[in-house]
Amino acid sequence: MAALGLRRNGGHGLRETMKAKGPMNESVTQPKRIRRKFDKAFKQRAVELWLNSGRTATEVAAELGIKSQRLSAWKECFGPPPPGGEGGGGPKRSAEQLEVENTSLRREIEYLRQQRDILKKTLGILSETPTNGLNGSTR
Protein backbone atom coordinates (compact mmCIF):
# COMPACT_ATOMS: atom_id res chain seq x y z
CA MET A 1 0.00 0.00 0.00
CA ALA A 2 2.84 2.34 0.80
CA ALA A 3 4.36 1.49 -2.55
CA LEU A 4 1.40 3.02 -4.32
CA GLY A 5 1.90 6.33 -2.49
CA LEU A 6 -1.36 6.14 -0.61
CA ARG A 7 -1.55 7.68 2.82
CA ARG A 8 -3.16 6.15 5.84
CA ASN A 9 -6.21 7.71 7.51
CA GLY A 10 -7.88 8.86 4.35
CA GLY A 11 -4.98 10.77 2.93
CA HIS A 12 -4.16 12.74 6.07
CA GLY A 13 -0.46 13.44 6.16
CA LEU A 14 -0.16 14.80 9.69
CA ARG A 15 3.01 12.96 10.57
CA GLU A 16 4.81 14.11 7.47
CA THR A 17 3.84 17.73 8.01
CA MET A 18 4.81 17.67 11.70
CA LYS A 19 8.20 16.22 10.85
CA ALA A 20 8.73 18.83 8.17
CA LYS A 21 8.10 21.67 10.60
CA GLY A 22 11.18 21.37 12.76
CA PRO A 23 11.10 24.85 14.38
CA MET A 24 7.59 24.20 15.65
CA ASN A 25 8.87 21.40 17.86
CA GLU A 26 11.48 23.65 19.45
CA SER A 27 10.63 25.25 22.78
CA VAL A 28 9.47 28.82 22.54
CA THR A 29 11.00 30.99 25.23
CA GLN A 30 11.03 34.71 25.47
CA PRO A 31 14.44 36.27 25.86
CA LYS A 32 14.92 37.49 29.40
CA ARG A 33 14.59 41.21 29.82
CA ILE A 34 17.44 42.89 31.52
CA ARG A 35 16.15 44.90 34.45
CA ARG A 36 17.58 48.36 34.33
CA LYS A 37 18.55 49.99 37.58
CA PHE A 38 18.66 53.73 38.01
CA ASP A 39 20.67 55.50 40.66
CA LYS A 40 19.18 58.06 43.02
CA ALA A 41 20.75 61.02 41.18
CA PHE A 42 19.19 59.97 37.86
CA LYS A 43 15.75 59.64 39.47
CA GLN A 44 16.03 63.06 41.10
CA ARG A 45 17.15 64.70 37.84
CA ALA A 46 14.33 62.99 35.94
CA VAL A 47 11.72 64.29 38.40
CA GLU A 48 13.22 67.79 38.34
CA LEU A 49 13.24 67.77 34.54
CA TRP A 50 9.59 66.77 34.48
CA LEU A 51 8.43 69.30 37.07
CA ASN A 52 10.47 72.21 35.72
CA SER A 53 9.88 71.62 32.01
CA GLY A 54 6.11 72.13 31.95
CA ARG A 55 5.73 68.99 29.83
CA THR A 56 3.68 65.92 30.61
CA ALA A 57 5.10 62.89 32.37
CA THR A 58 4.55 60.85 29.21
CA GLU A 59 6.66 63.20 27.10
CA VAL A 60 9.53 63.36 29.58
CA ALA A 61 9.42 59.60 30.19
CA ALA A 62 9.54 58.87 26.46
CA GLU A 63 12.54 61.16 26.14
CA LEU A 64 14.31 59.32 28.95
CA GLY A 65 13.30 55.86 27.72
CA ILE A 66 11.21 54.91 30.74
CA LYS A 67 7.51 54.50 31.44
CA SER A 68 5.48 57.42 32.73
CA GLN A 69 4.23 55.37 35.69
CA ARG A 70 7.83 54.93 36.83
CA LEU A 71 8.38 58.68 36.64
CA SER A 72 5.24 59.31 38.68
CA ALA A 73 6.39 56.82 41.31
CA TRP A 74 9.74 58.57 41.51
CA LYS A 75 7.93 61.86 42.06
CA GLU A 76 6.46 60.43 45.27
CA CYS A 77 9.97 59.75 46.57
CA PHE A 78 12.01 62.59 45.12
CA GLY A 79 9.49 65.34 44.36
CA PRO A 80 8.87 68.35 46.56
CA PRO A 81 6.74 67.74 49.66
CA PRO A 82 3.08 68.68 49.44
CA PRO A 83 2.17 72.15 50.71
CA GLY A 84 1.15 72.52 54.33
CA GLY A 85 3.75 70.41 56.04
CA GLU A 86 4.44 66.72 56.14
CA GLY A 87 0.93 65.38 55.74
CA GLY A 88 -0.19 68.03 53.27
CA GLY A 89 -3.07 69.00 55.56
CA GLY A 90 -3.27 72.54 54.25
CA PRO A 91 -1.83 75.70 55.77
CA LYS A 92 -0.40 75.54 59.28
CA ARG A 93 -2.86 76.42 62.03
CA SER A 94 -2.21 78.54 65.06
CA ALA A 95 -2.14 77.18 68.60
CA GLU A 96 -5.48 78.87 69.31
CA GLN A 97 -7.16 77.15 66.34
CA LEU A 98 -5.76 73.79 67.42
CA GLU A 99 -6.99 74.34 70.97
CA VAL A 100 -10.52 75.14 69.75
CA GLU A 101 -10.53 72.03 67.58
CA ASN A 102 -9.19 69.93 70.45
CA THR A 103 -11.94 71.15 72.78
CA SER A 104 -14.59 70.43 70.16
CA LEU A 105 -13.27 66.91 69.60
CA ARG A 106 -13.19 66.19 73.35
CA ARG A 107 -16.82 67.29 73.60
CA GLU A 108 -17.78 65.02 70.72
CA ILE A 109 -15.92 62.07 72.30
CA GLU A 110 -17.84 62.54 75.57
CA TYR A 111 -21.17 62.67 73.68
CA LEU A 112 -20.33 59.47 71.76
CA ARG A 113 -19.33 57.69 74.98
CA GLN A 114 -22.69 58.56 76.52
CA GLN A 115 -24.52 57.19 73.47
CA ARG A 116 -22.46 54.00 73.59
CA ASP A 117 -23.24 53.49 77.29
CA ILE A 118 -26.96 54.01 76.71
CA LEU A 119 -26.91 51.47 73.87
CA LYS A 120 -25.07 48.95 76.05
CA LYS A 121 -27.67 49.30 78.82
CA THR A 122 -30.52 49.00 76.32
CA LEU A 123 -29.01 45.88 74.81
CA GLY A 124 -28.63 44.37 78.29
CA ILE A 125 -32.27 45.06 79.11
CA LEU A 126 -33.56 43.68 75.81
CA SER A 127 -31.47 40.50 76.00
CA GLU A 128 -32.67 39.56 79.50
CA THR A 129 -35.13 36.68 79.76
CA PRO A 130 -38.48 37.60 81.27
CA THR A 131 -38.75 36.73 84.97
CA ASN A 132 -42.54 36.78 85.34
CA GLY A 133 -44.69 33.65 85.58
CA LEU A 134 -45.79 33.79 81.95
CA ASN A 135 -42.27 33.19 80.62
CA GLY A 136 -43.01 35.20 77.52
CA SER A 137 -46.06 33.22 76.44
CA THR A 138 -49.16 35.21 75.41
CA ARG A 139 -51.71 32.66 76.64
Side-chain angles (χ1 to χ4, degrees):
M1 206 168 168
L4 297 175
L6 296 177
R7 295 186 179 154
R8 296 172 68 187
N9 298 329
H12 190 276
L14 180 64
R15 289 187 182 187
E16 290 81 15
T17 58
M18 291 302 289
K19 288 178 185 176
K21 295 184 179 183
M24 191 170 181
N25 292 333
E26 295 174 10
S27 63
V28 179
T29 57
Q30 298 291 332
K32 286 195 171 187
R33 291 173 140 193
I34 298 173
R35 184 174 176 172
R36 298 188 305 173
K37 294 188 179 187
F38 303 98
D39 62 341
K40 185 176 178 180
F42 177 81
K43 295 174 185 180
Q44 288 173 334
R45 286 193 306 260
V47 171
E48 287 174 16
L49 175 66
W50 172 32
L51 297 177
N52 296 331
S53 69
R55 295 183 292 169
T56 64
T58 307
E59 293 171 343
V60 174
E63 181 181 313
L64 296 173
I66 59 175
K67 293 185 177 183
S68 61
Q69 293 90 348
R70 182 180 305 258
L71 190 59
S72 297
W74 290 348
K75 180 185 174 193
E76 296 295 321
C77 298
F78 301 108
E86 229 174 273
K92 291 191 175 189
R93 295 179 284 179
S94 69
E96 184 179 306
Q97 290 172 325
L98 292 174
E99 190 62 37
V100 168
E101 182 182 12
N102 196 7
T103 305
S104 171
L105 291 173
R106 287 179 191 273
R107 207 175 303 126
E108 185 176 356
I109 288 171
E110 184 57 34
Y111 174 74
L112 292 173
R113 281 186 180 148
Q114 288 174 359
Q115 283 187 331
R116 181 201 60 198
D117 292 342
I118 291 170
L119 289 172
K120 277 184 177 179
K121 289 176 184 176
T122 304
L123 181 63
I125 292 170
L126 292 175
S127 62
E128 287 180 3
T129 57
T131 56
N132 61 7
L134 297 177
N135 248 354
S137 65
T138 57
R139 193 169 186 230

